[in-house]
Amino acid sequence: MSTQLTPGSDTIEDRRTQPTSGDGDHERFSHYVPKDKLTEAMINGTPVIALCGKVWVPSRDPQKYPVCPQCKEIWASMKPGGGDKS
């Protein structure tokens, strides 16, 4: 004897990307991202990549969080006269 689901019924898997709050410390900071990429991501809901490598879909006000120390360090090293003197 076999068991059959109701004819015409299917199981649908939702594969949309959902922002999570389980990424550890990266979730506690605001990150440095090119302004044009951030604006585009906020409008279209597309992911961005921060200087520190974090990939996420921005949805919160970054001014409410401290700056990511890794992003800040990388940014300082990129600016003329900042970071390493070599």
Side-chain angles (χ1 to χ4, degrees):
M1 178 183 249
S2 66
T3 305
Q4 183 177 7
L5 297 174
T6 306
S9 66
D10 292 321
T11 302
I12 299 172
E13 182 179 350
D14 187 357
R15 293 185 179 214
R16 292 178 289 186
T17 302
Q18 298 293 323
T20 64
S21 59
D23 283 351
D25 287 342
H26 283 290
E27 290 299 320
R28 299 181 204 167
F29 299 112
S30 60
H31 297 271
Y32 289 161
V33 175
K35 191 176 249 182
D36 60 327
K37 299 286 185 189
L38 180 62
T39 302
E40 179 182 328
M42 294 289 277
I43 292 169
N44 297 325
T46 54
V48 292
I49 303 173
L51 289 178
C52 67
K54 176 181 170 56
V55 179
W56 84 107
V57 177
S59 61
R60 302 180 288 180
D61 180 3
Q63 294 180 348
K64 293 182 178 181
Y65 302 92
V67 175
C68 168
Q70 288 179 307
C71 284
K72 193 173 189 177
E73 185 178 321
I74 294 167
W75 178 252
S77 71
M78 293 170 60
K79 297 172 92 173
D84 192 11
K85 303 265 182 199
S86 56

